[in-house]
Amino acid sequence: MAKPNYSFEKRQREIAKKKKQDEKAAKKAAAKDSANPSGASDKPDTDESGSGRNDR
């Protein structure tokens, strides 16, 4: 009788897990893109220097 190859099974589980994570990340990115179609970022508006501070 053949001996089970646990290393192979573990690697297959890892590959499946990675694939699932990648699909989830792609789905999340697609949902984010569709929620924000104008291309505007979530970053707050900053002045020309990019510091984000209002120097008065």
Side-chain angles (χ1 to χ4, degrees):
M1 185 169 176
K3 187 168 100 174
N5 189 349
Y6 293 113
S7 298
F8 177 77
E9 292 175 10
K10 181 178 179 184
R11 179 69 182 139
Q12 293 302 310
R13 284 194 307 271
E14 290 172 352
I15 290 170
K17 184 177 179 181
K18 174 86 168 126
K19 183 179 176 185
K20 187 174 179 180
Q21 287 175 342
D22 290 343
E23 289 173 356
K24 185 176 179 181
K27 184 178 177 183
K28 194 172 189 180
K32 185 176 181 183
D33 290 343
S34 66
N36 196 359
S38 64
S41 65
D42 293 336
K43 297 178 183 176
D45 293 335
T46 59
D47 58 359
E48 290 81 26
S49 66
S51 65
R53 295 179 12 194
N54 292 329
D55 296 317
R56 294 184 190 171

